[in-house]
Amino acid sequence: MSIMLFLRFSAIGLLCGVVLIPLFWIQRGDEFEHLRLAALMGLDVAQVVTVPIALAVGAWKARP
């Protein structure tokens, strides 16, 4: 049961990264390639923020 909670919270952290993309939007050009790169960079930055938080919460909830 504890590993399931840990995996569930890690997945939640990855999914929450999508929600924060507009906050970390870094676009430098007008072309489609710049738009795609900005979306990927925003997703990476957002997941760097949300995944450790979700993993910490998952580890806290999974401990006996």
Side-chain angles (χ1 to χ4, degrees):
M1 181 70 174
S2 63
I3 192 73
M4 187 66 167
L5 279 174
F6 191 75
L7 291 175
R8 184 177 294 160
F9 277 97
S10 66
I12 289 171
L14 288 171
L15 291 173
C16 287
V18 175
V19 176
L20 295 179
I21 286 178
L23 298 177
F24 296 111
W25 193 256
I26 306 165
Q27 187 175 359
R28 299 187 183 252
D30 293 331
E31 300 175 6
F32 177 72
E33 297 296 323
H34 291 281
L35 180 69
R36 187 172 64 177
L37 180 62
L40 288 174
M41 287 173 54
L43 182 62
D44 286 341
V45 171
Q47 285 179 348
V48 163
V49 172
T50 59
V51 171
I53 293 170
L55 286 176
V57 170
W60 173 68
K61 295 279 268 190
R63 70 183 163 96

